[in-house]
Amino acid sequence: MITLFSLPPKALIGMVHVPALPGTPAQRLSMSEIIEKSVAEARMIEEAGFDAVMLENMHDVPYMNRRVGPEITAAMTAIACEVAKTLKIPCGIQILAGAGKESIAVALAAGLSFIRVEGFVFSHVADEGLMNACAGELLRYRKAIGAEGIAVFADIKKKHSSHAITADVDIVETAKAARFFLADGVIVTGAATGETANAVEIDAVAKAVDIPVLVGSGITADNLQEYWEYADGFIIGSWLKENGYWENPLDHDRLTRMRDTADRLKRGDQ
């Protein structure tokens, strides 16, 4: 029987921003160095008490629009396999930009639990250009390769994008469409990496769909309480880094503070 990954209540998901991969303009490290750094950061997140880790090739700027090369898929597979071997908590992956099929393939090969995908329903104009919906193709591919146990968490009204094309479709209707198209969860973000999401929108989305709702940007130890009541999980990247900037190394004190804040909120302390 296929067992689909499910989030623990109020899950903290820590981001590993994988160093620039082979063939990308910013690449400086060898594959062995990239793997070593990614494994070290994943371990830090686990040791801090987070519930899951997510890998993302954020340093691969500028991103391709859904068409990453085989070298990226191969590199992310090698990294994911090594990270997954070291962790006792679930691990997921996102391959930018919009490379959902590749993410599913890597997740299956490495034994990961979930993927994050953009452009799941409707169309938007991203940094990389026009991105059309991928739900039908992606979930058929997941079925075809026997990866149905891997959860698909879909961004809705995604950050770093213009949504003028769908200005007449609000975020609640977008969430309903993602649910109807069989997303396993939806992700709400701010306008850009590190920017806060709208708590009113998250509340409205959570009331409209019966699948997990995650906050995907802008979470800090200071504002976690603002979203705690509404969201099922929190994907946290930038704030966990030194000085709260995504390109910097992970900050042990910030990791601990985030976990302590979540524990306090779970206890109901103010």
Side-chain angles (χ1 to χ4, degrees), residues 87-250:
L87 297 180
K88 294 182 174 63
I89 59 175
C91 185
I93 192 168
Q94 179 178 25
I95 300 181
L96 300 169
K101 289 172 70 175
E102 290 81 358
S103 296
I104 283 282
V106 173
L108 180 64
L112 307 187
S113 300
F114 62 94
I115 71 164
R116 178 178 183 174
V117 64
E118 54 200 300
F120 189 75
V121 289
F122 296 107
S123 296
H124 65 267
V125 181
D127 297 3
E128 305 81 24
L130 179 65
M131 191 172 289
N132 287 318
C134 69
E137 184 178 359
L138 179 65
L139 295 191
R140 281 167 174 78
Y141 180 72
R142 182 176 69 166
K143 176 79 170 182
I145 67 171
E148 296 153 280
I150 297 167
V152 172
F153 297 139
D155 276 275
I156 52 174
K157 297 287 185 178
K158 181 192 169 289
K159 60 186 177 180
H160 297 290
S161 301
S162 167
H163 298 283
I165 295 172
T166 56
D168 57 336
V169 182
D170 67 16
I171 196 166
V172 169
E173 290 306 313
T174 306
K176 288 179 179 178
R179 171 66 182 88
F180 181 66
F181 272 20
L182 305 180
D184 301 299
V186 292
I187 302 169
V188 180
T189 67
T193 296
E195 293 192 15
T196 55
N198 185 314
V200 173
E201 288 185 345
I202 295 165
D203 181 30
V205 168
K207 289 174 178 174
V209 297
D210 60 352
I211 54 178
V213 177
L214 296 87
V215 182
S217 72
I219 292 294
T220 72
D222 295 319
N223 69 17
L224 182 61
Q225 183 171 3
E226 179 182 348
Y227 302 101
W228 191 257
E229 177 183 352
Y230 311 122
D232 299 292
F234 310 91
I235 301 171
I236 310 165
S238 297
W239 190 85
L240 301 176
K241 306 300 185 69
E242 294 176 2
N243 300 317
Y245 184 58
W246 72 269
E247 287 193 274
N248 291 339
L250 281 171

Side-chain angles (χ1 to χ4, degrees), residues 13-30:
I13 302 172
M15 291 294 307
V16 172
H17 294 132
V18 173
L21 297 174
T24 63
Q27 184 209 0
R28 300 292 183 271
L29 302 179
S30 67

